[in-house]
Amino acid sequence: MKRRLLLGAFLFFIGLLLFNNKAFTAEETKIYIDLWDNTLFLIKHKEIVGEFKISPGTDNSPTPIGTFKIVEKSKDWGGGFGSRWLGLNVPWGKYGIHGTNKSWLIGERVSSGCVRMFNEDVEKLYDMVPIGTIVHIRGPITGTGEGEFKNLSLGSKGTLVQIVQQRLKAGSYYTGPTNGIYDEETERAVKKFQRKHRLYETGGITTIEYNLLGILE
């Protein structure tokens, strides 16, 4: 009898361990990344269950701001990508959450736009979050330092381009996708906007256009 009780208690304990370490579902999980203090939070059922320091992009290669989704997972990319990769569906480029071979730089703005983590941290995250997990990234949407309100033109990409597209669409100058890619359709819309405001039709965005679009005050 005593042996059966001990065995039952052991199996119950093992069951708890397995339950606590299982991967979450995409529906019950979210990732929140705060670029103001370079921290990633793992949230399950509105409760923080993990908190990790990260390294985001530089002034000139910023981390995308907005709401995205994990669309791919890979192991052992090696080199600057560390031991794990969690790819995001950012429309204007290939960005993700990954490890690093320069752990001493975690906390600094040094990446090309991706979110770097300590390898041991990204390995934990990789095991816990599935494809489909929503990722909210909060930070300076107008850029920082040299990248703040930078001039935009054909070929530019990023959050600032997306904001410009949204403002142009709200003013009925633009009908294309707000995908953060400054293509020829975006350039034509900007020229239309410039013509309306009696500006030189350069097709580019400078401080003047930012002001008139209400992005910069």
Side-chain angles (χ1 to χ4, degrees), residues 32-97:
Y32 177 81
I33 298 173
D34 189 339
L35 301 183
W36 297 108
D37 65 1
N38 295 341
T39 306
L40 182 151
F41 299 93
L42 177 61
I43 299 170
K44 181 182 180 185
H45 296 313
K46 299 182 180 180
E47 291 186 8
I48 297 173
V49 294
E51 183 175 336
F52 310 98
K53 293 306 294 181
I54 57 108
S55 277
T58 65
D59 290 347
N60 291 314
S61 57
T63 295
I65 306 296
T67 299
F68 308 103
K69 188 182 291 186
I70 293 175
V71 292
E72 60 176 323
K73 295 172 65 175
S74 301
K75 292 184 178 182
D76 301 321
W77 273 37
F81 294 97
S83 57
R84 298 290 186 275
W85 165 267
L86 299 166
L88 304 175
N89 64 334
V90 179
W92 59 84
K94 193 170 184 68
Y95 295 88
I97 302 167

Short mmCIF file of all heavy atoms in Angstrom, two decimals, residues 32-97:
data_model
loop_
_atom_site.label_atom_id
_atom_site.label_comp_id
_atom_site.label_asym_id
_atom_site.label_seq_id
_atom_site.Cartn_x
_atom_site.Cartn_y
_atom_site.Cartn_z
N TYR A 32 5.65 40.33 -26.01
CA TYR A 32 5.64 41.79 -25.99
C TYR A 32 7.08 42.27 -25.88
O TYR A 32 7.79 41.90 -24.94
CB TYR A 32 4.80 42.28 -24.80
CG TYR A 32 4.78 43.78 -24.63
CD1 TYR A 32 3.92 44.57 -25.39
CD2 TYR A 32 5.60 44.41 -23.71
CE1 TYR A 32 3.88 45.95 -25.23
CE2 TYR A 32 5.58 45.78 -23.54
CZ TYR A 32 4.72 46.55 -24.30
OH TYR A 32 4.69 47.91 -24.15
N ILE A 33 7.51 43.07 -26.84
CA ILE A 33 8.89 43.57 -26.85
C ILE A 33 8.87 45.08 -26.66
O ILE A 33 8.24 45.81 -27.43
CB ILE A 33 9.61 43.21 -28.16
CG1 ILE A 33 9.69 41.69 -28.32
CG2 ILE A 33 11.00 43.82 -28.21
CD1 ILE A 33 10.23 41.22 -29.65
N ASP A 34 9.53 45.55 -25.61
CA ASP A 34 9.60 46.98 -25.30
C ASP A 34 11.00 47.49 -25.67
O ASP A 34 11.98 47.15 -25.01
CB ASP A 34 9.33 47.19 -23.81
CG ASP A 34 9.16 48.65 -23.46
OD1 ASP A 34 9.62 49.51 -24.23
OD2 ASP A 34 8.57 48.94 -22.40
N LEU A 35 11.07 48.28 -26.74
CA LEU A 35 12.36 48.80 -27.20
C LEU A 35 12.82 50.00 -26.39
O LEU A 35 13.96 50.44 -26.55
CB LEU A 35 12.27 49.17 -28.68
CG LEU A 35 11.90 48.04 -29.64
CD1 LEU A 35 11.93 48.53 -31.08
CD2 LEU A 35 12.85 46.85 -29.47
N TRP A 36 11.96 50.53 -25.53
CA TRP A 36 12.38 51.64 -24.68
C TRP A 36 13.37 51.17 -23.63
O TRP A 36 14.29 51.91 -23.25
CB TRP A 36 11.17 52.29 -24.01
CG TRP A 36 10.20 52.90 -24.96
CD1 TRP A 36 8.96 52.45 -25.29
CD2 TRP A 36 10.39 54.08 -25.76
NE1 TRP A 36 8.36 53.26 -26.22
CE2 TRP A 36 9.21 54.28 -26.52
CE3 TRP A 36 11.44 54.99 -25.90
CZ2 TRP A 36 9.05 55.35 -27.40
CZ3 TRP A 36 11.28 56.06 -26.78
CH2 TRP A 36 10.10 56.23 -27.51
N ASP A 37 13.17 49.95 -23.13
CA ASP A 37 14.13 49.44 -22.13
C ASP A 37 14.73 48.09 -22.54
O ASP A 37 15.32 47.38 -21.73
CB ASP A 37 13.48 49.34 -20.75
CG ASP A 37 12.35 48.32 -20.68
OD1 ASP A 37 12.07 47.67 -21.72
OD2 ASP A 37 11.76 48.17 -19.61
N ASN A 38 14.57 47.74 -23.84
CA ASN A 38 15.21 46.54 -24.41
C ASN A 38 14.89 45.27 -23.62
O ASN A 38 15.79 44.53 -23.20
CB ASN A 38 16.73 46.74 -24.51
CG ASN A 38 17.11 47.84 -25.48
OD1 ASN A 38 16.32 48.20 -26.34
ND2 ASN A 38 18.31 48.37 -25.35
N THR A 39 13.60 45.02 -23.48
CA THR A 39 13.15 43.86 -22.73
C THR A 39 12.06 43.12 -23.52
O THR A 39 11.20 43.75 -24.13
CB THR A 39 12.59 44.26 -21.35
OG1 THR A 39 13.58 45.03 -20.65
CG2 THR A 39 12.24 43.04 -20.51
N LEU A 40 12.13 41.80 -23.50
CA LEU A 40 11.11 40.95 -24.12
C LEU A 40 10.33 40.25 -23.00
O LEU A 40 10.93 39.66 -22.10
CB LEU A 40 11.75 39.92 -25.05
CG LEU A 40 10.83 38.96 -25.81
CD1 LEU A 40 11.48 38.56 -27.14
CD2 LEU A 40 10.51 37.69 -25.01
N PHE A 41 9.01 40.32 -23.10
CA PHE A 41 8.15 39.66 -22.12
C PHE A 41 7.37 38.54 -22.81
O PHE A 41 6.79 38.74 -23.88
CB PHE A 41 7.15 40.66 -21.53
CG PHE A 41 7.78 41.81 -20.80
CD1 PHE A 41 8.03 43.00 -21.47
CD2 PHE A 41 8.13 41.71 -19.47
CE1 PHE A 41 8.62 44.07 -20.82
CE2 PHE A 41 8.72 42.77 -18.80
CZ PHE A 41 8.96 43.97 -19.49
N LEU A 42 7.35 37.38 -22.18
CA LEU A 42 6.52 36.27 -22.63
C LEU A 42 5.28 36.26 -21.75
O LEU A 42 5.37 36.24 -20.52
CB LEU A 42 7.27 34.94 -22.50
CG LEU A 42 6.47 33.69 -22.86
CD1 LEU A 42 6.00 33.73 -24.32
CD2 LEU A 42 7.31 32.43 -22.61
N ILE A 43 4.11 36.33 -22.40
CA ILE A 43 2.85 36.46 -21.66
C ILE A 43 1.94 35.27 -21.97
O ILE A 43 1.75 34.92 -23.14
CB ILE A 43 2.15 37.78 -22.04
CG1 ILE A 43 3.06 38.96 -21.67
CG2 ILE A 43 0.80 37.90 -21.36
CD1 ILE A 43 2.60 40.29 -22.20
N LYS A 44 1.41 34.67 -20.93
CA LYS A 44 0.45 33.58 -21.07
C LYS A 44 -0.79 33.92 -20.26
O LYS A 44 -0.70 34.20 -19.06
CB LYS A 44 1.04 32.26 -20.58
CG LYS A 44 0.08 31.08 -20.73
CD LYS A 44 0.69 29.80 -20.18
CE LYS A 44 -0.28 28.64 -20.32
NZ LYS A 44 0.23 27.41 -19.70
N HIS A 45 -1.95 33.95 -20.92
CA HIS A 45 -3.20 34.31 -20.26
C HIS A 45 -3.08 35.63 -19.50
O HIS A 45 -3.48 35.74 -18.34
CB HIS A 45 -3.64 33.20 -19.29
CG HIS A 45 -3.96 31.90 -19.95
ND1 HIS A 45 -4.76 31.81 -21.09
CD2 HIS A 45 -3.57 30.63 -19.66
CE1 HIS A 45 -4.86 30.54 -21.44
NE2 HIS A 45 -4.15 29.81 -20.61
N LYS A 46 -2.46 36.62 -20.16
CA LYS A 46 -2.33 37.99 -19.62
C LYS A 46 -1.39 38.09 -18.43
O LYS A 46 -1.33 39.14 -17.76
CB LYS A 46 -3.71 38.57 -19.26
CG LYS A 46 -4.65 38.66 -20.46
CD LYS A 46 -5.98 39.27 -20.06
CE LYS A 46 -6.90 39.35 -21.28
NZ LYS A 46 -8.22 39.94 -20.95
N GLU A 47 -0.64 37.04 -18.15
CA GLU A 47 0.33 37.07 -17.05
C GLU A 47 1.73 36.91 -17.61
O GLU A 47 1.97 36.09 -18.51
CB GLU A 47 0.05 35.97 -16.03
CG GLU A 47 -1.21 36.17 -15.23
CD GLU A 47 -1.37 35.14 -14.13
OE1 GLU A 47 -0.40 34.37 -13.91
OE2 GLU A 47 -2.43 35.09 -13.49
N ILE A 48 2.68 37.69 -17.10
CA ILE A 48 4.08 37.59 -17.53
C ILE A 48 4.70 36.33 -16.94
O ILE A 48 4.75 36.16 -15.72
CB ILE A 48 4.88 38.82 -17.09
CG1 ILE A 48 4.33 40.08 -17.76
CG2 ILE A 48 6.36 38.65 -17.43
CD1 ILE A 48 4.95 41.37 -17.26
N VAL A 49 5.16 35.43 -17.82
CA VAL A 49 5.78 34.19 -17.36
C VAL A 49 7.26 34.13 -17.74
O VAL A 49 7.95 33.16 -17.41
CB VAL A 49 5.04 32.96 -17.93
CG1 VAL A 49 3.63 32.89 -17.39
CG2 VAL A 49 5.01 32.99 -19.46
N GLY A 50 7.75 35.16 -18.42
CA GLY A 50 9.17 35.22 -18.78
C GLY A 50 9.56 36.64 -19.11
O GLY A 50 8.79 37.39 -19.71
N GLU A 51 10.76 37.03 -18.71
CA GLU A 51 11.27 38.38 -18.98
C GLU A 51 12.74 38.27 -19.36
O GLU A 51 13.53 37.68 -18.62
CB GLU A 51 11.09 39.25 -17.74
CG GLU A 51 11.53 40.69 -17.93
CD GLU A 51 11.24 41.55 -16.71
OE1 GLU A 51 10.33 41.20 -15.92
OE2 GLU A 51 11.94 42.57 -16.53
N PHE A 52 13.13 38.81 -20.53
CA PHE A 52 14.48 38.63 -21.06
C PHE A 52 15.02 39.94 -21.63
O PHE A 52 14.29 40.70 -22.27
CB PHE A 52 14.47 37.58 -22.18
CG PHE A 52 13.78 36.29 -21.83
CD1 PHE A 52 12.46 36.06 -22.21
CD2 PHE A 52 14.43 35.31 -21.11
CE1 PHE A 52 11.81 34.88 -21.91
CE2 PHE A 52 13.80 34.12 -20.79
CZ PHE A 52 12.49 33.90 -21.19
N LYS A 53 16.30 40.17 -21.45
CA LYS A 53 16.96 41.33 -22.04
C LYS A 53 17.27 41.04 -23.51
O LYS A 53 17.57 39.90 -23.88
CB LYS A 53 18.27 41.66 -21.32
CG LYS A 53 18.10 42.15 -19.90
CD LYS A 53 17.16 43.35 -19.80
CE LYS A 53 17.69 44.59 -20.46
NZ LYS A 53 16.76 45.75 -20.33
N ILE A 54 17.18 42.07 -24.34
CA ILE A 54 17.39 41.90 -25.78
C ILE A 54 18.26 43.02 -26.33
O ILE A 54 18.52 44.02 -25.67
CB ILE A 54 16.05 41.86 -26.54
CG1 ILE A 54 15.21 43.14 -26.28
CG2 ILE A 54 15.22 40.66 -26.12
CD1 ILE A 54 15.14 44.07 -27.43
N SER A 55 18.70 42.83 -27.58
CA SER A 55 19.39 43.88 -28.33
C SER A 55 18.62 44.14 -29.62
O SER A 55 18.48 43.24 -30.45
CB SER A 55 20.82 43.45 -28.68
OG SER A 55 21.69 43.69 -27.60
N PRO A 56 18.10 45.36 -29.80
CA PRO A 56 17.37 45.69 -31.03
C PRO A 56 18.29 46.34 -32.06
O PRO A 56 19.52 46.35 -31.90
CB PRO A 56 16.32 46.68 -30.53
CG PRO A 56 17.03 47.42 -29.42
CD PRO A 56 17.98 46.42 -28.80
N GLY A 57 17.69 46.92 -33.10
CA GLY A 57 18.44 47.53 -34.18
C GLY A 57 19.06 48.87 -33.83
O GLY A 57 18.73 49.49 -32.82
N THR A 58 19.95 49.31 -34.69
CA THR A 58 20.62 50.60 -34.52
C THR A 58 19.71 51.73 -35.00
O THR A 58 18.62 51.49 -35.51
CB THR A 58 21.92 50.64 -35.32
OG1 THR A 58 21.60 50.56 -36.73
CG2 THR A 58 22.84 49.48 -34.96
N ASP A 59 20.20 52.97 -34.89
CA ASP A 59 19.44 54.12 -35.37
C ASP A 59 19.13 54.00 -36.86
O ASP A 59 18.02 54.34 -37.31
CB ASP A 59 20.22 55.42 -35.15
CG ASP A 59 20.32 55.80 -33.68
OD1 ASP A 59 19.59 55.21 -32.87
OD2 ASP A 59 21.13 56.69 -33.35
N ASN A 60 20.09 53.52 -37.62
CA ASN A 60 19.94 53.47 -39.08
C ASN A 60 19.38 52.15 -39.59
O ASN A 60 19.08 52.02 -40.78
CB ASN A 60 21.28 53.76 -39.75
CG ASN A 60 21.70 55.21 -39.57
OD1 ASN A 60 20.90 56.12 -39.75
ND2 ASN A 60 22.94 55.43 -39.18
N SER A 61 19.27 51.16 -38.72
CA SER A 61 18.64 49.88 -39.11
C SER A 61 17.73 49.44 -37.96
O SER A 61 17.99 48.47 -37.27
CB SER A 61 19.70 48.80 -39.38
OG SER A 61 20.53 48.62 -38.24
N PRO A 62 16.63 50.20 -37.76
CA PRO A 62 15.78 49.98 -36.59
C PRO A 62 14.96 48.69 -36.64
O PRO A 62 14.66 48.16 -37.71
CB PRO A 62 14.85 51.20 -36.61
CG PRO A 62 14.78 51.58 -38.05
CD PRO A 62 16.15 51.29 -38.62
N THR A 63 14.61 48.22 -35.47
CA THR A 63 13.70 47.08 -35.36
C THR A 63 12.29 47.54 -35.72
O THR A 63 11.87 48.62 -35.30
CB THR A 63 13.72 46.55 -33.91
OG1 THR A 63 15.03 46.04 -33.63
CG2 THR A 63 12.70 45.45 -33.71
N PRO A 64 11.56 46.78 -36.52
CA PRO A 64 10.20 47.17 -36.90
C PRO A 64 9.30 47.35 -35.69
O PRO A 64 9.39 46.60 -34.72
CB PRO A 64 9.72 45.99 -37.75
CG PRO A 64 10.97 45.33 -38.23
CD PRO A 64 11.97 45.51 -37.14
N ILE A 65 8.43 48.37 -35.76
CA ILE A 65 7.45 48.62 -34.71
C ILE A 65 6.08 48.14 -35.21
O ILE A 65 5.73 48.37 -36.36
CB ILE A 65 7.37 50.13 -34.39
CG1 ILE A 65 8.76 50.70 -34.05
CG2 ILE A 65 6.38 50.39 -33.26
CD1 ILE A 65 9.38 50.11 -32.81
N GLY A 66 5.32 47.50 -34.35
CA GLY A 66 3.98 47.06 -34.74
C GLY A 66 3.65 45.69 -34.19
O GLY A 66 4.30 45.19 -33.27
N THR A 67 2.64 45.08 -34.78
CA THR A 67 2.18 43.75 -34.37
C THR A 67 2.43 42.76 -35.49
O THR A 67 1.97 42.97 -36.62
CB THR A 67 0.68 43.77 -34.02
OG1 THR A 67 0.48 44.69 -32.93
CG2 THR A 67 0.20 42.39 -33.61
N PHE A 68 3.16 41.71 -35.17
CA PHE A 68 3.55 40.72 -36.17
C PHE A 68 3.23 39.32 -35.64
O PHE A 68 2.59 39.16 -34.61
CB PHE A 68 5.04 40.87 -36.50
CG PHE A 68 5.43 42.28 -36.86
CD1 PHE A 68 6.09 43.10 -35.94
CD2 PHE A 68 5.10 42.80 -38.10
CE1 PHE A 68 6.42 44.40 -36.27
CE2 PHE A 68 5.43 44.12 -38.43
CZ PHE A 68 6.09 44.91 -37.52
N LYS A 69 3.70 38.33 -36.37
CA LYS A 69 3.41 36.94 -36.00
C LYS A 69 4.64 36.08 -36.28
O LYS A 69 5.36 36.33 -37.25
CB LYS A 69 2.22 36.45 -36.82
CG LYS A 69 1.69 35.09 -36.41
CD LYS A 69 0.54 34.67 -37.32
CE LYS A 69 -0.68 35.52 -37.10
NZ LYS A 69 -1.85 35.02 -37.87
N ILE A 70 4.89 35.10 -35.44
CA ILE A 70 5.97 34.14 -35.69
C ILE A 70 5.51 33.20 -36.80
O ILE A 70 4.48 32.54 -36.67
CB ILE A 70 6.34 33.35 -34.43
CG1 ILE A 70 6.97 34.28 -33.38
CG2 ILE A 70 7.30 32.20 -34.77
CD1 ILE A 70 7.26 33.62 -32.06
N VAL A 71 6.26 33.16 -37.89
CA VAL A 71 5.86 32.34 -39.04
C VAL A 71 6.84 31.22 -39.36
O VAL A 71 6.56 30.37 -40.21
CB VAL A 71 5.66 33.22 -40.30
CG1 VAL A 71 4.45 34.12 -40.12
CG2 VAL A 71 6.90 34.06 -40.60
N GLU A 72 7.99 31.21 -38.67
CA GLU A 72 8.94 30.11 -38.89
C GLU A 72 9.84 29.96 -37.67
O GLU A 72 10.08 30.90 -36.93
CB GLU A 72 9.78 30.34 -40.14
CG GLU A 72 10.62 31.61 -40.11
CD GLU A 72 11.51 31.75 -41.34
OE1 GLU A 72 12.02 30.73 -41.80
OE2 GLU A 72 11.72 32.88 -41.79
N LYS A 73 10.33 28.73 -37.48
CA LYS A 73 11.26 28.43 -36.39
C LYS A 73 12.38 27.55 -36.92
O LYS A 73 12.11 26.60 -37.66
CB LYS A 73 10.52 27.70 -35.25
CG LYS A 73 9.46 28.52 -34.55
CD LYS A 73 8.65 27.68 -33.57
CE LYS A 73 9.49 27.17 -32.42
NZ LYS A 73 8.68 26.45 -31.41
N SER A 74 13.61 27.89 -36.56
CA SER A 74 14.75 27.09 -37.02
C SER A 74 15.79 26.99 -35.91
O SER A 74 15.89 27.88 -35.05
CB SER A 74 15.41 27.72 -38.26
OG SER A 74 14.48 27.84 -39.31
N LYS A 75 16.58 25.91 -35.96
CA LYS A 75 17.63 25.69 -34.98
C LYS A 75 19.01 25.84 -35.62
O LYS A 75 19.19 25.59 -36.80
CB LYS A 75 17.53 24.28 -34.38
CG LYS A 75 16.32 24.05 -33.51
CD LYS A 75 16.37 22.66 -32.89
CE LYS A 75 15.19 22.41 -31.97
NZ LYS A 75 15.26 21.08 -31.33
N ASP A 76 19.95 26.24 -34.78
CA ASP A 76 21.38 26.21 -35.11
C ASP A 76 21.74 26.93 -36.41
O ASP A 76 22.38 26.37 -37.29
CB ASP A 76 21.87 24.76 -35.16
CG ASP A 76 21.67 24.06 -33.83
OD1 ASP A 76 21.88 24.70 -32.79
OD2 ASP A 76 21.27 22.89 -33.84
N TRP A 77 21.31 28.17 -36.52
CA TRP A 77 21.74 28.99 -37.66
C TRP A 77 23.23 29.30 -37.56
O TRP A 77 23.91 29.48 -38.55
CB TRP A 77 20.94 30.30 -37.69
CG TRP A 77 19.65 30.17 -38.42
CD1 TRP A 77 18.82 29.09 -38.43
CD2 TRP A 77 19.04 31.15 -39.26
NE1 TRP A 77 17.71 29.33 -39.21
CE2 TRP A 77 17.82 30.59 -39.73
CE3 TRP A 77 19.38 32.44 -39.65
CZ2 TRP A 77 16.96 31.29 -40.58
CZ3 TRP A 77 18.52 33.13 -40.49
CH2 TRP A 77 17.34 32.56 -40.95
N GLY A 78 23.71 29.39 -36.32
CA GLY A 78 25.14 29.63 -36.10
C GLY A 78 25.54 31.08 -36.31
O GLY A 78 24.74 31.92 -36.71
N GLY A 79 26.81 31.36 -36.01
CA GLY A 79 27.36 32.70 -36.20
C GLY A 79 26.57 33.74 -35.43
O GLY A 79 26.18 33.55 -34.29
N GLY A 80 26.31 34.88 -36.08
CA GLY A 80 25.61 35.98 -35.44
C GLY A 80 24.17 35.69 -35.10
O GLY A 80 23.53 36.46 -34.38
N PHE A 81 23.61 34.58 -35.61
CA PHE A 81 22.22 34.25 -35.33
C PHE A 81 22.07 33.30 -34.14
O PHE A 81 20.96 32.94 -33.77
CB PHE A 81 21.56 33.63 -36.56
CG PHE A 81 21.42 34.59 -37.70
CD1 PHE A 81 22.36 34.60 -38.74
CD2 PHE A 81 20.39 35.51 -37.74
CE1 PHE A 81 22.24 35.49 -39.79
CE2 PHE A 81 20.26 36.41 -38.79
CZ PHE A 81 21.20 36.40 -39.82
N GLY A 82 23.19 32.88 -33.55
CA GLY A 82 23.12 32.03 -32.38
C GLY A 82 22.48 30.69 -32.64
O GLY A 82 22.54 30.15 -33.74
N SER A 83 21.82 30.14 -31.60
CA SER A 83 21.35 28.76 -31.67
C SER A 83 19.88 28.60 -32.09
O SER A 83 19.45 27.49 -32.38
CB SER A 83 21.52 28.11 -30.29
OG SER A 83 20.84 28.84 -29.30
N ARG A 84 19.12 29.69 -32.13
CA ARG A 84 17.71 29.58 -32.50
C ARG A 84 17.26 30.79 -33.32
O ARG A 84 17.77 31.89 -33.15
CB ARG A 84 16.80 29.46 -31.26
CG ARG A 84 17.05 28.23 -30.40
CD ARG A 84 16.61 26.96 -31.09
NE ARG A 84 16.71 25.81 -30.20
CZ ARG A 84 17.82 25.11 -30.01
NH1 ARG A 84 18.94 25.44 -30.65
NH2 ARG A 84 17.81 24.07 -29.20
N TRP A 85 16.23 30.59 -34.17
CA TRP A 85 15.65 31.65 -34.98
C TRP A 85 14.14 31.54 -34.95
O TRP A 85 13.57 30.48 -35.16
CB TRP A 85 16.15 31.53 -36.42
CG TRP A 85 15.37 32.34 -37.43
CD1 TRP A 85 14.30 31.92 -38.18
CD2 TRP A 85 15.59 33.70 -37.80
NE1 TRP A 85 13.84 32.93 -38.99
CE2 TRP A 85 14.62 34.05 -38.78
CE3 TRP A 85 16.52 34.68 -37.41
CZ2 TRP A 85 14.56 35.31 -39.36
CZ3 TRP A 85 16.44 35.93 -37.99
CH2 TRP A 85 15.49 36.24 -38.95
N LEU A 86 13.48 32.66 -34.66
CA LEU A 86 12.02 32.76 -34.70
C LEU A 86 11.70 33.87 -35.70
O LEU A 86 11.84 35.06 -35.39
CB LEU A 86 11.46 33.10 -33.31
CG LEU A 86 11.74 32.07 -32.20
CD1 LEU A 86 11.46 32.66 -30.83
CD2 LEU A 86 10.89 30.83 -32.42
N GLY A 87 11.27 33.50 -36.90
CA GLY A 87 11.04 34.46 -37.96
C GLY A 87 9.70 35.16 -37.86
O GLY A 87 8.69 34.53 -37.53
N LEU A 88 9.67 36.47 -38.16
CA LEU A 88 8.45 37.27 -38.09
C LEU A 88 7.95 37.63 -39.48
O LEU A 88 8.75 37.72 -40.43
CB LEU A 88 8.72 38.56 -37.30
CG LEU A 88 9.27 38.40 -35.88
CD1 LEU A 88 9.58 39.76 -35.28
CD2 LEU A 88 8.28 37.65 -35.00
N ASN A 89 6.67 37.88 -39.61
CA ASN A 89 6.08 38.21 -40.92
C ASN A 89 6.07 39.72 -41.18
O ASN A 89 5.04 40.31 -41.52
CB ASN A 89 4.66 37.65 -41.03
CG ASN A 89 3.69 38.28 -40.04
OD1 ASN A 89 4.09 38.75 -38.97
ND2 ASN A 89 2.41 38.28 -40.37
N VAL A 90 7.22 40.35 -41.03
CA VAL A 90 7.35 41.78 -41.34
C VAL A 90 7.31 41.93 -42.86
O VAL A 90 8.11 41.30 -43.56
CB VAL A 90 8.67 42.34 -40.77
CG1 VAL A 90 8.81 43.82 -41.11
CG2 VAL A 90 8.73 42.12 -39.26
N PRO A 91 6.41 42.74 -43.40
CA PRO A 91 6.23 42.79 -44.85
C PRO A 91 7.39 43.39 -45.63
O PRO A 91 7.53 43.13 -46.83
CB PRO A 91 4.96 43.63 -45.03
CG PRO A 91 4.83 44.42 -43.79
CD PRO A 91 5.40 43.57 -42.70
N TRP A 92 8.24 44.19 -44.99
CA TRP A 92 9.29 44.86 -45.75
C TRP A 92 10.68 44.25 -45.59
O TRP A 92 11.69 44.84 -46.00
CB TRP A 92 9.33 46.35 -45.41
CG TRP A 92 9.57 46.68 -43.96
CD1 TRP A 92 10.78 46.76 -43.32
CD2 TRP A 92 8.60 47.00 -42.97
NE1 TRP A 92 10.63 47.09 -42.01
CE2 TRP A 92 9.28 47.27 -41.77
CE3 TRP A 92 7.21 47.11 -42.99
CZ2 TRP A 92 8.61 47.62 -40.60
CZ3 TRP A 92 6.56 47.46 -41.82
CH2 TRP A 92 7.25 47.71 -40.65
N GLY A 93 10.78 43.06 -45.02
CA GLY A 93 12.09 42.44 -44.91
C GLY A 93 12.09 41.21 -44.02
O GLY A 93 11.06 40.85 -43.43
N LYS A 94 13.24 40.57 -43.92
CA LYS A 94 13.38 39.35 -43.11
C LYS A 94 13.90 39.74 -41.72
O LYS A 94 15.06 40.13 -41.57
CB LYS A 94 14.33 38.36 -43.77
CG LYS A 94 14.26 36.96 -43.15
CD LYS A 94 15.02 35.97 -44.00
CE LYS A 94 14.89 34.54 -43.47
NZ LYS A 94 13.53 34.00 -43.60
N TYR A 95 13.03 39.67 -40.75
CA TYR A 95 13.37 40.01 -39.37
C TYR A 95 12.94 38.86 -38.46
O TYR A 95 12.00 38.14 -38.77
CB TYR A 95 12.64 41.28 -38.94
CG TYR A 95 13.04 42.52 -39.69
CD1 TYR A 95 12.40 42.87 -40.88
CD2 TYR A 95 14.07 43.35 -39.22
CE1 TYR A 95 12.76 44.02 -41.57
CE2 TYR A 95 14.44 44.50 -39.91
CZ TYR A 95 13.78 44.82 -41.09
OH TYR A 95 14.14 45.94 -41.79
N GLY A 96 13.63 38.74 -37.34
CA GLY A 96 13.27 37.69 -36.41
C GLY A 96 13.88 37.90 -35.03
O GLY A 96 14.60 38.88 -34.79
N ILE A 97 13.56 36.97 -34.16
CA ILE A 97 14.13 36.92 -32.81
C ILE A 97 15.14 35.78 -32.83
O ILE A 97 14.79 34.66 -33.23
CB ILE A 97 13.03 36.64 -31.77
CG1 ILE A 97 11.93 37.71 -31.85
CG2 ILE A 97 13.60 36.56 -30.37
CD1 ILE A 97 10.66 37.34 -31.10
#
